[in-house]
Amino acid sequence: MERPLPGPRAKPHLAVPVALDRDGGRPLVAQLVEALREAVLSGLLPAGERLPSTRTLAQDLAVSRTVTAEAYTRLEAEGLLASRSGSGTYVARLNRAARRTGTAPAVPAPAAPAPAQAPRPAFALRTGETGPVHEGSDGWARAWRATARTAAPTRYQEAAGLPDLRAAIADHLARTRGLVCAPDDIVVTSGTTQSMDLVLRTLLRAGDTVGCEDPGHPVVRSLIRVHGLEAAPVPVDDDGARVDVLAGRARAPRLMHVTPSHQFPLGVRMGVGRRLDLVMWAREHRSWIVEDDYDSEYRYNGPPLPSLAGLDRERVIYLGTLSKVLTPALRCGYLVAPGGLPRRIAELKDIVDGPLSWPVQHTVLRMLTTGALERRVRRTRLHYARARTVLREALEPVADLVTPTGLEAGLHAVLLLADGIDGARVARRAAELGVEVAPLSAFRHGPSPTEGLVVGYGGLTPDDLAEAAALLVRAIAEHRS
Amino acid sequence: MERPLPGPRAKPHLAVPVALDRDGGRPLVAQLVEALREAVLSGLLPAGERLPSTRTLAQDLAVSRTVTAEAYTRLEAEGLLASRSGSGTYVARLNRAARRTGTAPAVPAPAAPAPAQAPRPAFALRTGETGPVHEGSDGWARAWRATARTAAPTRYQEAAGLPDLRAAIADHLARTRGLVCAPDDIVVTSGTTQSMDLVLRTLLRAGDTVGCEDPGHPVVRSLIRVHGLEAAPVPVDDDGARVDVLAGRARAPRLMHVTPSHQFPLGVRMGVGRRLDLVMWAREHRSWIVEDDYDSEYRYNGPPLPSLAGLDRERVIYLGTLSKVLTPALRCGYLVAPGGLPRRIAELKDIVDGPLSWPVQHTVLRMLTTGALERRVRRTRLHYARARTVLREALEPVADLVTPTGLEAGLHAVLLLADGIDGARVARRAAELGVEVAPLSAFRHGPSPTEGLVVGYGGLTPDDLAEAAALLVRAIAEHRS
C-alpha cells in the first residue's frame, strides 16, 4: 500500500496521535471515536482537558468537519466528552456509567464496514485485574515524582537489578514470607512470566518434562509449549497439588511449578504435610520446585504460611511479583534462587534482555523504603476483603447450586457448579446479561466439562461488584432444574 | 549459612537500605562506604539530604560507632558528604572531582579482606553511555510527572505495546527515517537486545546460521551462542559489511545482522550500492536482514541515508531504540517487521514476557507527542557534535599514529593505530593514567592483534572529555618508536 511521505506538519492540536486508516474501508467516524475513547479511558486525555474545535481537528486529521463533529457527538452521548456552550469540548470526568464500559479492547479493523456489534459486557470479572493504583495517600504518584526528579543513570545497569532494590526485596521477604536470602540471591525481572521463562531457559533442555498443576495457569502451559518441553499435569485437591501423583510418575519431571499459597485457579492452600512431601520429592530426584507466590499478600483468614522456599532454599526457586500489589501493567517482579543460579540467570538476562527499566526499579525501591508499598498492601487488603464478602453474600440465593472455593485469599475465586449445570451455558448467559466470567475448563490441560466459573473481583468497586454478582447469580439461577 | 529471622525492627533512619555481609570477611567500613557512595551517585540519597548521626546509623545497622564514623570520614574526603558543625552530615552537591569517579561498578565481595585495589580509572570512555537526561528544559522530568498523575491501567496490556505509542513511533519513523509502516507493524520491546532475541526465537531454529558484522557488537555474538545458532562473521570495509563475502558463502545464512547507518564499532556508513546488493541477496535467498539502527539520530555531516527497511519492507526487520536518545537505563525500543511477523512476535512476547511497563510506554509516548523527544535529539546532537570535535582536535598531536574512523556520527569512534603499535599496551597504559578504553579486538569474532581502540564519548562533559583525550593521547604518544 503506497503512501506518500508526509510533508512537514503544523503542530497538531490534539495531544495524542490519531492514525486513521483511509484504505481499509472502515468508517472514519468509527475509527476516530475509538481512538478518542481509548485516549480518554486510558488517561492519555485526562479529565478536564480541552479538545480542539471540530474545525481544527478536521484540518489536523485531513478529514471533513462532519467526521469530527459526529465523533464528538457520539462521545458526548457516551458521557466521555462534554461541551460547554461557547467554550468548547472537554474530556468529561468519568461517571460510573461511562467507566462501566471499561477500556475498549483493541478491535482489528474489518475489511468491510462493521455490522452491528454484539453487546459488550458491562462488567468483566477477570482475573489479573487490580484496584486503582491512585488512591488517597497516593504513594504511587509520589514515588514516581521522586523518580522524575532523580538523575537517571546514563549507562547500562547490572542485569540482576539495582543492588539497593535487591536488598530491599530481601528485607521484605524476610519480614513477610519467612524467606531469608541475600540480595545476590535475587534477580529483578519484568514479572512472573519472564522469571519462569528465564528459569526454563537456564535449567531445562528441549524434551525435558515440567510438572504443572491441573487446573493451572495457562501461561505456564504456553511457556512449556514454546520451549519444546513436555507437560506433566498434576491434579489438585483441597490440600493443593497431588504430590503423590507427581511422585508416582515413572520419570520424575525436572521441575514442578506450584502455587502453594493460593492455588491458581482453585484457590486452595497447600497444607504443611503436602509441602514437606513436595520438598522431599524434589530432594530425592534433584528436581526443582518453582514456587509461584503471586498473591500471598492477600489472605483474609489469618497470616499466610511461610513460603516453601523458606522450608528449603536449595531446591525451591521463589517467584514474587508486584502485579497484584500494584498493577499488572507495571511489569515488575523478582525471583530468588539458590547457589550459583541467580548469577547464571542474570548472565542470561544480560544477553537476551538487559536489566529492568531503571525508572521502574527506582520507583519500586522508593515505595519499599518509604513504607508506601506496605501501606498499600494494608489498604488494598481491606478493600479486597470487603469485595470478597460482597461476592459471598451475593451468592447466597444460589447456595444450593454453587460452591465457592478460594475466597480466603487473593483477588479471585472459583464457583464450582452443582452436577448437571453446564458452566459454558451459564457463562454465555452471563455475557448476554453483561457479565464476563471465564469457564474453569479454560484452565485445564485437557478437554473437560465446565464444572466451574473463575471469577476475578479485584478490578471492581464494591457497588459494581454487587451489581455484577447479582447478574451472575441470575444467570446461574436460570439453570436451576 | 544460618541467619536468625530478624525481629520487628525500629524504623531505620537512613532512607535507603544497607545490606551488610558480616560473614564474607570483607571489612564493614568498606561495605558501608560502597553502599553510601552508590546511593549518593545514583541519586537515591539526593544532594542536601541529611544523614543520620553516626550513633543512630550504628544502632540501625548493628555495627560499632567507629564503623559509621570512619565511613562518613572517608566519604567526606571523597567529597560526597559534607558535615556542618553542630548540624550533622549531609549529602554534598557533587562537584566535578567527585563526579569524575563515576558510579562505582559492582565489585563482588572477596572472601578475604581486599588487598589495596588498583587505581580506578577516572574517565571511562565507554560506548553505550549517554549524556545526562535531566537538562535545561527537562522534558524528561515533565513527562514522568505527567505519568505520575495519570491513572495507570489495572490490567494486563497488549504485548505489542500501547496502540497510541505504536502510532506515534510509526509517525516518527515516517518523518525521520523514510520508513512508512502501520502501527500494527510495530512491536514495542525493552530495547535492541530483546528485539533481536525475539526475532531469533521466532524465525530461527538451532543450527541455523546468522551472518554478523566482524568486527561487530558482542551482544549479537552472545545471542547467537545462547540460541545454539552458528555465526557467520562478515568482514567490514569502509563501505560497510562485505556483502560480496556474504553472498559468496556456500549456504546463505538465514539472517544477516547489520548496522548500516553507523557500523558498530568501526563507524562506517553502508553505501547505497552495498545496501541494494544486500537487499538483492536477501530476496534471492529469502533470508532476513536485521537493520540495527542504534544511533541514527546523530549524524554530523549531513542527513542520514534513508533506512534499509525503507528500501525493502519485505525482507528487512528494523530495530530502533531510545537508549541513545534518552538513556540505556530506560530499556525501551521497538521493532518493525513485515507481514504476519509482528503478530507472531507479539504472541511470543506475550507468552515469555508480557508488554513493556506501562509507565515507561506512557512517558515515551508523552515525550513523542509533546515534541520533547525531538527537542532532546536536537540539543544532544549539538552536544555530541561538540564532543567529537573536542576529541578530534585532541588527537592532532598523534595524527601520525592514529586514524580515527566513525566520527561523522554517533557517540563513539574507533582510533586505528599505526602498524607496530600494540593497542593492548596502549589501553593498559591509558588505564594507569586514568582513562578506560576498549580494545578493538574485543569486538572481533576471532583472536586478532589490537590494532585499534574503541572510544565512547557520549558520557562526558566537553571539559572532562578534553582531559581524558589528553591522557589518552599521552598514552599513545609514549609508544612512538
Side-chain angles (χ1 to χ4, degrees):
Chain A
M1 192 184 334
E2 282 286 318
R3 291 203 197 90
L5 276 180
R9 48 179 66 189
K11 188 167 180 235
H13 297 100
L14 192 66
V16 296
V18 172
L20 296 176
D21 175 11
R22 291 152 214 272
D23 302 319
R26 192 146 171 265
L28 293 174
V29 175
Q31 293 185 52
L32 181 54
V33 165
E34 194 165 302
L36 290 174
R37 182 192 295 128
E38 174 67 20
V40 168
L41 289 173
S42 68
L44 276 172
L45 282 178
E49 174 125 340
R50 182 173 175 179
L51 294 187
S53 69
T54 53
R55 179 199 299 274
T56 302
L57 186 61
Q59 283 172 348
D60 286 347
L61 297 179
V63 298
S64 76
R65 197 176 173 190
T66 45
V67 170
T68 53
E70 174 65 21
Y72 279 10
T73 300
R74 290 194 198 180
L75 289 164
E76 283 173 29
E78 287 190 26
L80 295 182
L81 300 183
S83 56
R84 304 175 197 172
S85 54
S87 178
T89 305
Y90 295 78
V91 178
R93 303 211 165 276
L94 292 189
N95 55 31
R96 275 185 53 210
R99 203 181 290 118
R100 196 172 295 162
T101 51
T103 308
V107 178
Q117 297 193 346
R120 185 172 289 139
F123 300 106
L125 293 174
R126 271 192 219 100
T127 57
E129 192 157 345
T130 56
V133 233
H134 282 261
E135 348 157 58
S137 81
D138 232 6
W140 167 272
R142 266 210 303 270
W144 281 108
R145 286 199 299 270
T147 295
R149 62 177 180 265
T150 304
T154 53
R155 73 175 73 156
Y156 292 98
Q157 302 294 288
E158 51 174 301
L162 298 175
D164 283 339
L165 177 57
R166 292 184 279 112
I169 292 170
D171 183 69
H172 170 79
L173 289 173
R175 282 185 293 110
T176 62
R177 302 301 287 120
L179 170 48
V180 176
C181 64
D184 285 344
D185 297 332
I186 295 170
V187 178
V188 178
T189 69
S190 70
T192 303
T193 299
Q194 188 185 53
S195 296
M196 191 64 177
D197 184 57
L198 290 169
V199 166
L200 294 178
R201 280 179 99 162
T202 302
L203 287 177
L204 271 59
R205 300 288 166 261
D208 280 350
T209 302
V210 175
C212 45
E213 295 166 334
D214 182 14
H217 207 304
V219 159
V220 178
R221 285 207 303 285
S222 299
L223 271 168
I224 291 172
R225 176 172 53 78
V226 302
H227 278 269
L229 300 165
E230 296 292 324
V234 175
V236 177
D237 65 15
D238 52 20
D239 206 22
R242 291 278 305 277
V243 180
D244 58 321
V245 172
L246 171 67
R249 289 181 62 89
R251 265 197 338 169
R254 290 283 292 128
L255 182 148
M256 174 72 192
H257 174 274
V258 288
T259 49
S261 292
H262 189 235
Q263 202 275 331
F264 190 87
L266 292 178
V268 298
R269 177 161 71 178
M270 186 180 271
V272 177
R274 220 29 101 77
R275 293 171 183 235
L276 292 171
D277 290 345
L278 181 59
V279 165
M280 272 182 14
W281 167 85
R283 286 182 181 170
E284 179 184 340
H285 298 279
R286 296 199 62 68
S287 290
W288 299 97
I289 300 168
V290 169
E291 174 180 14
D292 187 341
D293 203 35
Y294 68 99
D295 66 0
S296 58
E297 296 85 357
Y298 299 112
R299 178 153 285 275
Y300 312 120
N301 63 352
L305 287 178
S307 64
L308 251 179
L311 278 184
D312 187 305
R313 282 297 326 279
E314 275 188 43
R315 306 270 16 124
V316 180
I317 299 164
Y318 177 95
L319 308 187
T321 175
L322 279 303
S323 289
K324 299 292 180 288
V325 177
L326 292 175
T327 162
L330 177 64
R331 312 306 312 133
C332 180
Y334 50 90
L335 62 89
V336 185
L341 205 44
R343 190 184 39 80
R344 287 171 57 193
I345 291 175
E347 281 170 4
L348 175 67
K349 190 177 197 297
D350 196 38
I351 291 171
V352 303
D353 181 22
L356 191 67
S357 173
W358 174 86
V360 174
Q361 294 196 60
H362 185 270
T363 300
V364 171
L365 172 59
R366 187 83 181 183
M367 293 191 77
L368 278 166
T369 57
T370 57
L373 200 80
E374 211 165 305
R375 288 190 290 274
R376 174 161 171 93
V377 170
R378 283 200 304 268
R379 236 184 358 259
T380 49
R381 189 185 290 136
L382 283 174
H383 170 80
Y384 297 135
R386 275 189 220 115
R388 62 89 185 228
T389 300
V390 163
L391 178 62
R392 192 170 45 196
E393 288 173 358
L395 291 169
E396 280 168 12
V398 289
D400 56 320
L401 302 176
V402 165
T403 305
T405 81
L407 271 177
E408 316 79 33
L411 286 66
H412 81 278
V414 165
L415 309 185
L416 296 169
L417 300 166
D419 283 345
I421 299 192
D422 180 351
R425 288 185 61 192
V426 173
R428 275 194 304 272
R429 178 61 182 141
E432 282 171 17
L433 294 175
V435 182
E436 180 190 321
V437 291
L440 182 58
S441 51
F443 297 81
R444 290 198 180 277
H445 284 248
S448 73
T450 300
E451 72 284 18
L453 303 169
V454 182
V455 173
Y457 53 82
L460 273 65
T461 62
D463 285 352
D464 283 353
L465 179 60
E467 209 170 322
L471 292 170
L472 179 59
V473 164
R474 188 172 136 196
I476 295 171
E478 283 177 10
H479 290 77
R480 194 190 300 277
S481 48
Chain B
M1 190 182 336
E2 283 284 319
R3 289 201 199 91
L5 274 181
R9 48 179 67 186
K11 188 170 180 219
H13 297 100
L14 192 66
V16 297
V18 173
L20 296 176
D21 174 13
R22 291 155 212 273
D23 301 321
R26 191 145 173 267
L28 293 173
V29 176
Q31 294 184 52
L32 180 55
V33 166
E34 195 165 302
L36 290 173
R37 183 191 296 126
E38 174 68 19
V40 168
L41 289 173
S42 66
L44 276 171
L45 283 176
E49 173 124 339
R50 181 174 175 176
L51 294 187
S53 69
T54 52
R55 180 198 299 272
T56 302
L57 185 61
Q59 282 172 351
D60 287 347
L61 298 179
V63 297
S64 77
R65 197 175 173 190
T66 44
V67 170
T68 53
E70 175 64 20
Y72 278 10
T73 299
R74 291 195 198 179
L75 289 164
E76 283 172 29
E78 288 190 26
L80 296 181
L81 300 183
S83 57
R84 304 173 198 174
S85 54
S87 178
T89 305
Y90 294 78
V91 178
R93 303 210 165 276
L94 293 189
N95 55 31
R96 275 185 54 209
R99 204 179 288 119
R100 193 172 297 164
T101 52
T103 308
V107 177
Q117 297 194 349
R120 185 172 290 138
F123 301 107
L125 294 174
R126 271 193 218 98
T127 57
E129 193 159 342
T130 56
V133 233
H134 281 258
E135 344 155 63
S137 82
D138 232 6
W140 167 271
R142 266 210 304 272
W144 281 108
R145 287 198 299 270
T147 295
R149 61 177 181 265
T150 305
T154 53
R155 72 175 73 154
Y156 291 98
Q157 303 292 289
E158 53 174 300
L162 298 176
D164 282 339
L165 176 56
R166 291 184 281 112
I169 292 170
D171 184 70
H172 170 80
L173 289 172
R175 281 186 292 112
T176 62
R177 303 301 287 119
L179 170 48
V180 176
C181 64
D184 284 345
D185 296 331
I186 295 170
V187 178
V188 179
T189 68
S190 70
T192 303
T193 299
Q194 188 185 54
S195 295
M196 191 64 177
D197 184 57
L198 290 169
V199 165
L200 293 178
R201 280 178 99 162
T202 303
L203 288 178
L204 271 58
R205 300 287 167 265
D208 279 350
T209 302
V210 175
C212 46
E213 295 166 335
D214 183 15
H217 206 301
V219 160
V220 178
R221 286 207 302 285
S222 299
L223 271 169
I224 291 172
R225 175 172 52 80
V226 301
H227 279 268
L229 302 165
E230 297 292 322
V234 174
V236 177
D237 65 17
D238 51 20
D239 206 24
R242 289 278 305 278
V243 179
D244 58 319
V245 173
L246 171 67
R249 290 180 60 90
R251 269 201 330 172
R254 289 284 291 128
L255 183 149
M256 174 71 191
H257 173 276
V258 287
T259 50
S261 293
H262 189 235
Q263 203 275 330
F264 189 87
L266 293 177
V268 298
R269 176 161 72 178
M270 187 180 271
V272 176
R274 216 38 96 78
R275 294 173 182 232
L276 293 171
D277 290 343
L278 182 59
V279 165
M280 270 182 18
W281 167 84
R283 285 183 182 169
E284 179 183 340
H285 297 280
R286 295 199 63 69
S287 290
W288 299 98
I289 300 168
V290 170
E291 174 181 13
D292 188 341
D293 203 35
Y294 69 100
D295 67 358
S296 58
E297 295 85 356
Y298 299 111
R299 177 153 287 275
Y300 312 119
N301 63 353
L305 288 177
S307 64
L308 252 178
L311 280 183
D312 187 306
R313 280 298 324 280
E314 275 189 43
R315 307 281 0 136
V316 180
I317 299 164
Y318 177 94
L319 308 186
T321 175
L322 278 304
S323 288
K324 299 293 181 289
V325 178
L326 292 174
T327 163
L330 177 64
R331 313 306 309 133
C332 179
Y334 50 90
L335 62 88
V336 184
L341 205 44
R343 190 184 40 78
R344 286 170 59 193
I345 291 174
E347 280 170 4
L348 175 67
K349 190 176 199 295
D350 197 38
I351 291 171
V352 304
D353 180 23
L356 191 67
S357 173
W358 175 85
V360 175
Q361 293 196 61
H362 185 271
T363 300
V364 171
L365 172 59
R366 187 84 181 182
M367 291 192 78
L368 277 168
T369 57
T370 57
L373 200 79
E374 210 166 306
R375 287 190 290 275
R376 173 161 172 95
V377 170
R378 282 201 304 268
R379 239 190 347 266
T380 49
R381 190 185 291 135
L382 283 174
H383 170 81
Y384 296 136
R386 275 190 221 116
R388 63 88 186 231
T389 299
V390 164
L391 179 63
R392 191 169 46 196
E393 287 174 358
L395 291 169
E396 281 168 13
V398 288
D400 55 320
L401 302 175
V402 166
T403 305
T405 83
L407 272 176
E408 316 80 33
L411 284 66
H412 81 279
V414 166
L415 310 184
L416 296 170
L417 299 167
D419 283 345
I421 299 191
D422 181 351
R425 289 184 61 192
V426 174
R428 277 196 301 274
R429 178 61 182 142
E432 281 171 17
L433 295 174
V435 181
E436 181 190 322
V437 291
L440 182 58
S441 51
F443 298 82
R444 290 199 180 276
H445 284 247
S448 73
T450 299
E451 71 284 17
L453 303 170
V454 182
V455 173
Y457 53 82
L460 273 65
T461 62
D463 285 353
D464 283 353
L465 179 60
E467 208 168 324
L471 292 169
L472 178 61
V473 164
R474 188 173 135 195
I476 295 171
E478 283 178 9
H479 290 78
R480 194 190 301 275
S481 48

